[in-house]
Amino acid sequence: MSSCATKESIVLFQDDNQKDEQKEIQTTEQNISFQFEDFTIQKNDILKVSVSALDMTSVASFRSDIMQARSNDQYLLEGFKVDELGSLNLPLVGKVDVLGLTPSQASLLIQLELSKSIIDPIVNINFLNFRFTILGEVNNPGTFSVFDPKINVIQALGLAGDITITGKRDNIKIIREFEGTITTTIIDLTKSDFISSDVYYLKKNDIIYIEPTFTRITNSGYIGPLGSIATFVSLLLSVAFFSRPN
């Protein structure tokens, strides 16, 4: 015997109380407007530094073969690593202190340094080591790398092929490490209030775990079918009844 999934256990963004649509939109915008903080560059980050200029030969040391297909690991090898002092060692400009800067701030700083020897350089910086892992009841579990760190839980689950029909949507675990401390936050995707939580936007190396439903566990054989359990219990009761002294 197994139970069927219900609408309440599958549908996302349910609300117990219906609210005025316009008010809900305004509230949501206010809630998430301050949730995302532009990531700052830290020690051991690996950055993609793209440089262009009027004379492209002057920035050839920053160029790679853009026509060649690359894996994520190959991109990492081509990136520039921030050392233990928070500096990047770049062609033409040498060491540049970028610790604690956002990618936009670091781009402007490097652009100013390059301007001393190159006409009208344009610099863009992206993280290459922004990764997160999704495990459990999704269609495509694994570790994912993205170039744009502004990614939320729903987008991440989309990359993993969405939650399976046998995954718990009301008990999503997000495991995060920050300054040596590991925290686990549980969110409920069947309600919309998780959008205002501090784990709505992911951070580097977050782990998302989707638990299986009880039906999934029983069908996997870890727990016997409920009918078999009931039969076994009934048998034990019968034995106990007929074995009791008269």
Side-chain angles (χ1 to χ4, degrees):
M1 181 177 69
S2 61
S3 60
C4 298
T6 63
K7 176 181 177 181
E8 289 74 18
S9 66
I10 296 176
V11 177
L12 306 186
F13 309 116
Q14 301 175 52
D15 290 302
D16 292 333
N17 299 314
Q18 295 296 324
K19 300 178 181 178
D20 177 74
E21 183 178 358
Q22 185 62 33
K23 180 180 179 181
E24 182 69 18
I25 292 174
Q26 292 174 351
T27 303
T28 302
E29 289 176 348
Q30 291 170 359
N31 284 339
I32 68 173
S33 62
F34 59 86
Q35 289 299 319
F36 179 76
E37 296 180 2
D38 203 358
F39 289 99
T40 57
I41 297 170
Q42 303 299 318
K43 299 175 184 177
N44 299 316
D45 274 342
I46 301 176
L47 307 176
K48 176 178 174 60
V49 182
S50 303
V51 182
S52 60
L54 290 176
D55 180 9
M56 292 303 296
T57 60
S58 64
V59 294
S61 53
F62 288 94
R63 302 280 292 174
S64 58
D65 186 2
I66 59 176
M67 299 301 293
Q68 181 180 352
R70 288 175 175 77
S71 67
N72 287 329
D73 289 337
Q74 287 174 316
Y75 273 115
L76 288 175
L77 292 174
E78 294 178 358
F80 295 92
K81 186 175 181 179
V82 181
D83 64 24
E84 289 298 325
L85 298 177
S87 298
L88 282 178
N89 193 7
L90 300 173
L92 305 178
V93 297
K95 287 199 171 186
V96 180
D97 185 10
V98 295
L99 184 65
L101 300 181
T102 65
S104 298
Q105 292 170 335
S107 297
L108 289 176
L109 177 61
I110 296 170
Q111 190 169 298
L112 288 174
E113 292 296 322
L114 286 172
S115 296
K116 298 175 182 178
S117 57
I118 297 175
I119 299 175
D120 296 333
I122 299 175
V123 179
N124 288 294
I125 292 180
N126 297 98
F127 288 103
L128 288 178
N129 62 326
F130 191 95
R131 292 182 172 183
F132 57 89
T133 300
I134 303 181
L135 302 173
E137 291 297 309
V138 291
N139 288 297
N140 182 31
T143 297
F144 301 86
S145 299
V146 293
F147 294 126
D148 184 359
K150 189 175 182 180
I151 182 169
N152 60 51
V153 174
I154 299 301
Q155 292 169 326
L157 290 172
L159 290 177
D162 200 3
I163 303 173
T164 66
I165 196 68
T166 55
K168 285 187 178 181
R169 288 156 174 78
D170 60 353
N171 196 44
I172 310 295
K173 290 183 173 66
I174 299 179
I175 303 168
R176 174 172 296 173
E177 180 180 356
F178 179 70
E179 296 182 350
T181 301
I182 297 178
T183 60
T184 299
T185 303
I186 296 177
I187 61 174
D188 181 356
L189 295 187
T190 66
K191 307 292 184 234
S192 60
D193 55 1
F194 77 92
I195 294 176
S196 61
S197 73
D198 60 358
V199 294
Y200 177 66
Y201 285 108
L202 298 185
K203 294 187 181 296
K204 279 185 294 186
N205 301 317
D206 276 357
I207 299 173
I208 302 174
Y209 175 63
I210 315 298
E211 286 188 354
T213 60
F214 184 74
T215 300
R216 176 73 171 90
I217 295 174
T218 55
N219 289 343
S220 297
Y222 292 109
I223 299 177
L226 294 181
S228 299
I229 295 175
T231 302
F232 180 71
V233 171
S234 177
L235 178 62
L236 288 179
L237 292 174
S238 298
V239 171
F241 177 79
F242 289 109
S243 300
R244 66 182 182 177
N246 294 325

